[in-house]
Amino acid sequence: MDMRAVVAPAATYETELLVVYSFEGGMAAAPNAAVRAIDEALNGAIAELVAAGDFAGKMGTMALLYPRGAMPAQRVIVVGLGDSEAFTVDVMRRAAALGLQRARELNAKRVATILPDSEHETAPGLVQALAEGGLLGLYRYVGYKSEVEANHPPEQLDVLRTDEDDLDAVQSGIVAGRAFAEGAALARDLINTPPNICTPTYMAQQAQAMATDVGLSCKILEKQQIGALKMGALLAVAQGSDHPPRFIILEHNADRADELDTLVLVGKGVTFDTGGYSLKSRDGMVGMKADMGGAAAVIGAMRTIAQLNLALHVVGLVPTADNMVSGTAYRPQDVVLASNGKSIEIISTDAEGRLLLADALVYAKRYEPKAVVDIATLTGGIVIGLGHPVAGVFGTDDGLIDELCKVGAATHERLWHMPIFDEYGKSLESDVADTRNSGGEAGRAGSAGVAAYFLRQFVDYPRWAHIDIAGTMRNQGDTPYVPGKNGSATGFGARLLAAWAQQQSATA
Ligand code: BES
Ligand code: ZN
Ligand code: ZN
């Protein structure tokens, strides 16, 4: 879908479908100049809907009108925004998604829209949310279905403006909204792709293709190079699979690393988690193609960061492997050596993600990063603790964690600050190695915090945060711009990490 800002009055604009937005309480309670003009052109048709009690502007409700010649638009949809006092950019994302999904159902190819008036949000911020929510709402994973529904998404969305004043800023908002949506869509695509296709090699190919597309540098380390780096923890997980591991390094502004601040993003890329010999249950294994959700978020965010052309040096590290069972698979009680020389006694082969992350977190040090953020579908414990609405964030720097929480509130990828208490380390003490990879039975209590404690042993820089997205990775069906069946990918983290980098570049 192409999007552009156009200076033109909505009431006389020729289009297949005009999408407008209205707050709760009707035109009297929350007058919106643009909607009022449309209502006038329609001889009070919207006011009549409100008076009849058929449309109150509640969030998520919509009314479809046929102007029948009263104005050139073939159809008008009014989308409810709810209470004007509770209005945020996220409401805009949701409403835009609903409006454009309806446009697709109606098979409208050329759609126009006008921004709602808001005292709290600027037009460029709103249009970014509109573009982002609209595109994300139209996202669809077709995969390998032989029959696909006939409706096609709108081809053109014109955002109508009354004057030239902020046209450039509005146009930039559209570009930014697209950059965020496309990064998240890439993350969703990678996660939704079945695990027999989405292997570590495939992940590397997709990262490489994306990098070429948007002008990032991309290095792919293969098994031998991973071995040369002594990444024994990553290799231990990978050794049970016929699909070899990859270590993906994406870099934005690699050539300006000396003059710019460096951020490192690290994503867990387990392309399928059977649990290994600590085998998951039949039901517990379903959904584990999404165990590379952290990796997908990093790859998606790197795409957005490149497109926004942020004035930062950003490195995306993706250790990726397949956790399987075989004659060569690693076992409980094996001892493996991570790349910082720390020995790890394997207690559970199902605590594999932290092994990949350990080697990547060690690797991150070479960039002398200002901050490192890792993101991973790491523990069932975080799902028990926080459920599905919010991800847990742990780390060594409260300032960094606060920044991430704030950004998460804005992108609606919410985070909750979790502790790493010293006591969590107790269950990781080993008789034969420097650490264990899990607390075993005793370590089930607070296992998300124990995992964070484990990771911290591989962090050798001051500012590090770890985001556990095991609970937020899969769609719960309650957000209009996260479409698809329950269980399909949300792409959680891609927009968050890119928005955090954007915020860092603004304050650098
Ligand atoms: N990939 C899982 C975590 C997970 C669970 C993600 C549910 C999404 C939904 C991870 O590798 C895992 O198996 N973690 C174990 C750790 C335990 C063995 C210490 C867990 O949380 O049970
Ligand atoms: Zn696991
Ligand atoms: Zn896992």
Side-chain angles (χ1 to χ4, degrees), residues 114-173:
I114 35 182
L115 297 175
D117 296 336
S118 167
E119 285 170 22
H120 312 293
E121 307 292 342
T122 64
L126 281 179
V127 79
Q128 178 179 332
L130 185 145
E132 186 179 313
L135 289 172
L136 286 173
L138 291 173
Y139 174 85
R140 208 178 240 175
Y141 182 71
V142 175
Y144 299 83
K145 273 179 179 294
S146 41
E147 271 177 51
V148 189
E149 290 162 59
N151 287 0
H152 297 292
E155 285 161 11
Q156 177 72 42
L157 179 66
D158 293 338
V159 179
L160 306 180
R161 305 294 296 154
T162 49
D163 52 57
E164 299 266 348
D165 279 3
D166 55 359
L167 209 61
D168 286 347
V170 167
Q171 196 58 49
S172 309

Side-chain angles (χ1 to χ4, degrees), residues 268 273-275 280 288 291 323 349-353 378:
K268 168 179 170 181
D273 185 9
T274 64
K280 286 189 181 294
M288 283 304 138
D291 212 19
N323 190 22
T349 59
D350 198 12
E352 83 299 336
L378 206 62

